[in-house]
Amino acid sequence: MLPAMHRRQFVQHAAALAALPAFGGLAMTGPWPETATQAARVVNGERLNGWLAQFDAIGRTASGINRVAYSAADLAGRAFTKELFAQSGLTMRLDTAGNMLARLPGTDSALKPILIGSHVDSVTDGGNYDGPVGSFGAIEVARSLLEQKVRLRHPLEVVVWQNEEGGTIGSKIAVGLLTPADLDKVARSGKTVREGIGIIGGDVSRLAESVRKKDDLAGYLELHIEQGGQLEKNHRQIGVVDGIVGLRWFEITITGFANHAGATPMDQRQDAMLAAATFTVAVNEAIRGEAGRQVATVGRLNVLPNTTNVIPGQVTLTVDLRDLSQATIDRFTARFEQLGRDIGKATSTTFAFTQMVNSTPALSDTRLTQVVESSAGALGLTHQRMPSGAGHDAQEVAHIAPMAMIFVPSVGGISHSPREFSRAADITNGANVLLNAVIAADKVLP
């Protein structure tokens, strides 16, 4: 719910909105104000949460939400989103990458646009809030600006990125970071990225037309669920993201010697599983042994020959390493490689490291984080600074433009799960902060 001090203002806005004609044929009477006012404004939270409730049925299966990129459910989700653009009086266009975009003109045609948005695809067996909260929140913000006749100096663009969960594909294309090899990667739907772009209406032969250059945008704001439990634990309503952690993934192949489990003495074994287990514990101890917010996870193991009565001859495992400091990521990379050498020597095995993913930390823009904080304060919402431990499209956009993110609580800190849930009041709070942050950013950005 909105704080008591703003309920009267909400009622006033609700009455004003009720007086407007249906938005599909919104009649703009009289000139728009040249600039936004300083008073805190609110979105139509009931409408926004209604959209999310309807969207929950798309891709819903017995095991969770399955709107994986380029699947039939993803196409249905995109069609639903396209209809929301239309209902909101926004003319949607599709870029050659398959990203969905709409634009509100500003009063100063010389200014670069402020971009807001997120994604609507999901992980396998995921939830309904990761992505759609920010995408639908951005559409609702644009619609609220139109309905309340607030016109910004900057143009405002709303974006729904394609295939965020498969590696921030749409936003990578937009900033020129997608490689030809990336196009041949297979999404969770079984389609390659190359095939998927065509399926959703893009044109892989013209991807260069969707690339934005540095300074093409004034700034980027993204609303998202926290995907963790810090806001709930600290009884805070809004997270002001001060940066998105860098991410480095390794695939490590440990080679020993497969031999008979009963006939091989313990002191003559080259046990790849023993080396993998020792390494897993060592990674955990190394990360926990140093003060900081760094995290590392051994998440997948493949064992050969994976038989009860054979000593494992080879294990392939993955390590996911994250921190907001690039120096910390580099330092632990070297530490893990040294651990591999030491454990290999002790177990008569060899460790081979292959780097799979390497994304650098993205720090939020100071002006935009201050704008988010001040907007939360103006709405009477409790807030805190925090890093994002998960990757987002904002991390890619940060290569070319100032960015900031707004988090709302995830109940129980659960995400990428059928149990993922954010309360309607928290989602409304986040959209209200986004609305006011956009208005404030319009004043502070060049």
Side-chain angles (χ1 to χ4, degrees):
M1 293 181 63
L2 286 169
M5 65 183 292
H6 293 291
R7 288 175 187 158
R8 181 177 303 166
Q9 185 182 49
F10 178 83
V11 171
Q12 291 171 345
H13 282 301
L17 295 181
L20 289 172
F23 196 80
L26 181 64
M28 304 302 295
T29 57
W32 278 2
E34 285 300 303
T35 58
T37 64
Q38 294 182 351
R41 292 179 178 271
V42 295
V43 301
N44 187 326
E46 182 178 358
R47 178 169 61 202
L48 169 58
N49 284 287
W51 292 343
L52 288 165
Q54 294 175 58
F55 200 55
D56 184 79
I58 300 177
R60 170 66 68 181
T61 68
S63 56
I65 295 290
N66 282 280
R67 289 190 296 265
V68 296
Y70 317 133
S71 66
D74 182 35
L75 290 173
R78 289 168 60 87
F80 180 93
T81 306
K82 181 179 180 180
E83 178 60 26
L84 292 189
F85 276 108
Q87 289 177 17
S88 300
L90 302 169
T91 302
M92 193 218 79
R93 69 176 179 87
L94 202 66
D95 71 9
T96 58
N99 298 314
M100 307 170 77
L101 294 146
R103 183 182 178 103
L104 292 181
T107 61
D108 189 340
S109 60
L111 294 179
K112 303 298 184 182
I114 297 171
L115 184 66
I116 58 176
S118 194
H119 64 97
V120 295
D121 64 302
S122 79
V123 297
T124 303
D125 298 337
N128 189 48
Y129 299 88
D130 174 359
V133 165
S135 294
F136 297 172
I139 294 172
E140 173 59 33
V141 163
R143 181 167 180 171
S144 294
L145 289 171
L146 282 170
E147 290 177 337
Q148 297 175 35
K149 299 185 180 180
V150 177
R151 193 170 186 187
L152 308 175
R153 294 186 309 128
H154 293 78
L156 179 70
E157 290 191 4
V158 176
V159 63
V160 177
W161 303 109
Q162 64 107 334
N163 195 2
E164 190 269 356
E165 297 292 3
T168 57
I169 298 300
S171 54
K172 270 195 174 78
I173 294 172
V175 301
L177 291 179
L178 198 80
T179 68
D182 291 330
L183 292 172
D184 295 319
K185 290 181 178 177
V186 179
R188 290 179 172 94
S189 60
K191 308 291 194 304
T192 65
V193 171
R194 186 187 305 277
E195 292 170 331
I197 289 172
I199 288 170
I200 62 176
D203 185 345
V204 75
S205 69
R206 298 167 52 212
L207 292 182
E209 296 175 22
S210 296
V211 175
R212 306 266 188 133
K213 300 181 180 64
K214 196 171 182 63
D215 300 325
D216 277 355
L217 299 172
Y220 177 69
L221 288 164
E222 182 170 353
L223 170 64
H224 209 280
I225 63 171
E226 181 194 351
Q227 299 182 274
Q230 291 303 305
L231 291 175
E232 186 176 65
K233 176 184 175 182
N234 296 330
H235 305 290
R236 296 290 187 270
Q237 294 165 299
I238 294 293
V240 183
V241 178
D242 49 19
I244 303 171
V245 297
L247 167 67
R248 190 167 287 173
W249 284 358
F250 306 95
E251 185 174 78
I252 302 167
T253 300
I254 305 170
T255 303
F257 188 80
N259 212 340
H260 197 289
T264 308
M266 297 300 289
D267 62 351
Q268 296 179 24
R269 299 181 175 214
Q270 295 172 261
D271 189 337
M273 178 62 87
L274 175 62
T278 304
F279 180 77
T280 300
V281 173
V283 165
N284 182 67
E285 290 177 343
I287 286 290
R288 293 167 66 94
E290 183 176 312
R293 288 175 165 172
Q294 67 275 353
V295 295
T297 304
V298 176
R300 174 172 57 84
L301 286 90
N302 291 326
V303 183
L304 293 175
N306 202 24
T307 302
T308 303
N309 60 350
V310 179
I311 299 163
Q314 185 178 89
V315 173
T316 302
L317 60 82
T318 59
V319 175
D320 176 315
L321 171 63
R322 305 184 190 215
D323 195 68
L324 200 54
S325 163
Q326 186 63 47
T328 299
I329 292 173
D330 292 339
R331 185 171 66 256
F332 276 105
T333 296
R335 179 79 179 276
F336 295 164
E337 290 172 345
Q338 184 60 52
L339 286 170
R341 288 189 289 270
D342 294 343
I343 293 168
K345 183 176 180 181
T347 58
S348 298
T349 60
T350 60
F351 281 65
F353 284 71
T354 301
Q355 197 173 118
M356 300 164 59
V357 173
N358 183 31
S359 63
T360 57
L363 299 180
S364 299
D365 180 75
T366 303
R367 295 164 301 174
L368 291 180
T369 53
Q370 290 173 346
V371 155
V372 172
E373 278 186 325
S374 63
S375 297
L379 290 158
L381 301 173
T382 56
H383 54 276
Q384 70 176 67
R385 289 285 185 105
M386 62 190 305
S388 171
H392 299 283
D393 290 305
Q395 191 164 10
E396 309 301 345
V397 181
H399 286 93
I400 63 166
M403 73 83 185
M405 292 192 71
I406 302 159
F407 277 175
V408 295
S410 297
V411 173
I414 298 171
S415 182
H416 283 192
S417 161
R419 295 172 58 197
E420 174 182 282
F421 181 69
S422 288
R423 295 183 178 90
D426 290 326
I427 293 168
T428 301
N429 286 339
N432 285 335
V433 173
L434 178 62
L435 171 61
N436 287 278
V438 164
I439 293 171
D442 182 55
K443 296 178 182 299
V444 303
L445 291 174

